[in-house]
Amino acid sequence: MTSAGQAQGVLSGGSGSCKGRQGRTGRGNSYYTPINSILSAYALTLRTSP
């Protein structure tokens, strides 16, 4: 969710490590799914205010 209240997507797990040896960047993977893809797949609506 952005500061303007806009949902962008979902970042989910994956494999590997985010932190490599000696503090270097690891070679892990993570997966990003845009929110509209998720909403349409399940026929959902995102409600951000009452």
Side-chain angles (χ1 to χ4, degrees), residues 6-50:
Q6 180 185 20
Q8 298 289 313
V10 175
L11 184 65
S12 59
S15 63
S17 172
C18 293
K19 186 174 182 183
R21 292 182 186 163
Q22 300 174 350
R24 296 186 202 137
T25 302
R27 291 197 171 125
N29 294 314
S30 58
Y31 303 97
Y32 173 80
T33 305
I35 194 70
N36 289 334
S37 299
I38 297 167
L39 295 175
S40 64
Y42 295 97
L44 299 173
T45 301
L46 179 63
R47 186 174 178 181
T48 58
S49 62

